[in-house]
Amino acid sequence: MRVVDHRGRFIARAHYGKESEITLRIVSKEDVEIDREFWLARLRAAAARRDRVVSDTDAYRLVHAEGDLLPGLIIDRYGDCFALQTLTRGMDALKTMWVEMLVEEFRPRLIVERNDAKVRQLEGLPMINSALYSAVGRTVSSPMTSKGADQSAVGRTVGSPMTSEGAYGDDQGKLTVRPTAGADLFITENGIKFRIDLLEGQKTGAFLDQRENRAAAMRYARGRGLDCFSFHGSFALHLARGCERVTAVDISEPAIERARRNAELNDIANIEFIVANVFDLLRDYDDAGERFDTIVLDPPAFAKNRGAVEAALRGYKEINLRALRLLNPGGVLITCSCSYHIGEELFLKTLAEAARDAGRDVQIVEKRAQSRDHPILLGVPETYYLKCIVARVMD
């Protein structure tokens, strides 16, 4: 819709959301026609930016919502497969168009929608995980062509029923997914292979926003390593490249089992995997006098809303205090927070309090954020959500 002020002067073009707490989402500050060519130009601009900043991986975020001036749209690329999220009514209405554009621009093997994010409920939208597109005659584990294009997808009409070989929906054109939808695939990140599940994995299949921080962790890794909240072992496998041995901890047994399989996939044998509550295990390690040289703390968001900030700060302080006590002199702590409601200043304040209570002198080596394929847009603080601090214990 066209937004004007009380005098009728143009302000912006925006998507309107009646049910949303955010009524208007700015699409353009220019009074231009918002048509297919407009959206295609935005998609191509986002892709061009990734060509400049993404390396050492075949999995990355192609479109980062407001960060790419495409509010409500997330597109993640996993090789020649894509995961799509349309998180607002405006973008959800354009879902078919986005699938068509991805097919035209990238010739993918598979496109899925991971519209199971809870934010959709705030927009009055249903929660959906499904396959939106599958190239005819291709299996999900097969490689791309030498040109990176899926030639079998050429000429395919998006939205037409899929065949039984890769089956696309019912006779009304509604999309369905069989239990064996074939969404399990492999990606490579910083020379390490991972198995992911596009339909059931966290986020859209993997935590792509930590890719560059994992590469940094690999550079700092040495001695005995500890990866807390390991999930599928992404940080642990990177630490294993520099550490003599690594302990990977997560409370989820299925997650740890997936981490074990990822280690086996890379012939990595110097990781011990433990199913445990991280808070309890850090306390037990401290009581037992265990010591480490490199520790990673990458917990889930402790503060998912403003009301949870106080409790979250207690949690962040507790795990950081324990980790700092466990580090040998000169040891490195890589500590993260993906809670938007806890900004960098507050996170650093909490880390300083933890250092003080732990009785350690701590040096900040690096202040990092999410990977560059998750751009931060000035004026939209929500796009800066991931804080990653690399700290060294001095004494």
Side-chain angles (χ1 to χ4, degrees):
M1 67 181 299
R2 192 170 184 271
V3 184
V4 299
D5 65 15
H6 66 286
R7 294 182 180 179
R9 293 177 297 191
F10 173 80
I11 296 176
R13 294 274 185 170
H15 277 159
Y16 171 69
K18 182 180 179 181
E19 296 88 351
S20 176
E21 294 181 5
I22 302 174
T23 306
L24 295 175
R25 295 178 186 268
I26 302 298
V27 170
S28 176
K29 294 180 181 178
E30 301 292 329
D31 196 4
V32 296
E33 184 178 357
I34 308 299
D35 55 12
R36 194 179 194 277
E37 290 305 310
F38 173 89
W39 296 118
L40 181 58
R42 288 277 170 94
L43 177 62
R44 286 174 173 171
R49 285 191 286 271
R50 274 41 179 201
D51 288 341
R52 294 191 292 270
V53 302
V54 174
S55 61
D56 298 324
T57 186
D58 55 4
Y60 56 89
R61 177 149 294 181
L62 178 64
V63 172
H64 187 54
E66 284 85 354
D68 285 298
L69 304 180
L70 288 165
L73 179 66
I74 299 291
I75 303 176
D76 287 338
R77 181 170 190 172
Y78 297 92
D80 56 355
C81 299
F82 291 78
L84 178 74
Q85 289 183 311
T86 49
L87 304 177
T88 62
R89 280 201 174 273
M91 282 302 176
D92 200 57
L94 298 171
K95 183 163 54 180
T96 298
M97 181 200 72
W98 289 117
V99 174
E100 290 173 349
M101 287 184 182
L102 289 174
V103 172
E104 292 166 6
E105 294 291 305
F106 303 100
R107 303 301 186 211
R109 202 152 42 85
L110 177 71
I111 302 174
V112 304
E113 66 173 316
R114 285 301 305 269
N115 278 327
D116 52 350
K118 291 182 179 179
V119 68
R120 277 176 60 93
Q121 294 177 324
L122 301 177
E123 302 282 326
L125 295 169
M127 307 276 273
I128 305 171
N129 275 16
S130 69
L132 295 174
Y133 171 87
S134 179
V136 177
R138 296 286 300 279
T139 59
V140 172
S141 59
S142 64
M144 295 177 71
T145 67
S146 59
K147 294 182 180 180
D150 177 4
Q151 301 300 320
S152 67
V154 176
R156 178 166 179 76
T157 302
V158 177
S160 61
M162 291 175 105
T163 64
S164 59
E165 287 87 3
Y168 211 113
D170 59 24
D171 53 8
Q172 273 91 39
K174 294 181 180 179
L175 307 178
T176 59
V177 177
R178 298 179 302 176
T180 55
D184 220 29
L185 60 111
F186 299 94
I187 62 169
T188 301
E189 174 188 300
N190 304 316
I192 301 172
K193 292 179 287 186
F194 295 93
R195 182 194 297 270
I196 66 165
D197 186 340
L198 286 185
L199 286 174
E200 300 297 334
Q202 288 288 329
K203 295 285 187 89
T204 63
F207 290 97
L208 301 177
D209 51 5
Q210 287 279 30
R211 184 187 70 256
E212 293 176 1
N213 295 330
R214 289 189 284 263
M218 187 162 54
R219 296 194 298 270
Y220 288 107
R222 66 178 182 86
R224 186 184 182 192
L226 176 63
D227 177 24
C228 298
F229 309 97
S230 186
F231 195 56
H232 289 171
S234 299
F235 268 107
L237 268 64
H238 282 78
L239 292 181
R241 293 291 182 91
C243 291
E244 296 172 10
R245 54 194 174 111
V246 177
T247 301
V249 186
D250 199 279
I251 198 169
S252 167
E253 189 167 347
I256 284 293
E257 180 56 35
R258 176 66 71 109
R260 283 196 187 96
R261 293 200 297 270
N262 282 331
E264 293 168 359
L265 184 64
N266 292 275
D267 296 322
I268 294 175
N270 61 334
I271 304 177
E272 175 191 20
F273 295 98
I274 297 177
V275 177
N277 181 298
V278 169
F279 286 86
D280 294 340
L281 189 66
L282 289 176
R283 184 174 59 251
D284 292 345
Y285 278 166
D286 189 14
D287 292 343
E290 298 281 357
R291 292 295 179 264
F292 297 85
D293 301 291
T294 313
I295 298 179
V296 172
L297 298 177
D298 183 26
F302 287 168
K304 294 186 177 181
N305 54 63
R306 290 185 182 88
V309 167
E310 187 176 342
L313 291 174
R314 290 196 296 271
Y316 284 121
K317 181 178 177 181
E318 170 69 13
I319 59 174
N320 281 281
L321 186 155
R322 295 289 181 183
L324 289 171
R325 286 174 59 89
L326 291 173
L327 281 168
N328 285 317
V332 171
L333 172 65
I334 300 159
T335 181
C336 309
S337 168
C338 60
S339 300
Y340 156 69
H341 295 286
I342 295 178
E344 180 185 296
E345 183 179 356
L346 188 53
F347 188 51
L348 285 170
K349 180 175 181 289
T350 302
L351 184 58
E353 292 173 354
R356 181 196 63 207
D357 290 358
R360 310 301 298 266
D361 290 321
V362 176
Q363 176 190 69
I364 300 297
V365 180
E366 278 194 73
K367 294 196 292 184
R368 305 179 60 86
Q370 62 253 33
S371 299
R372 288 170 293 169
D373 54 344
H374 293 62
I376 299 166
L377 183 66
L378 288 177
V380 184
E382 292 84 355
T383 58
Y384 177 29
Y385 64 94
L386 179 59
K387 285 73 61 181
C388 177
I389 305 299
V390 181
R392 180 181 288 113
V393 171
M394 302 296 290
D395 56 336

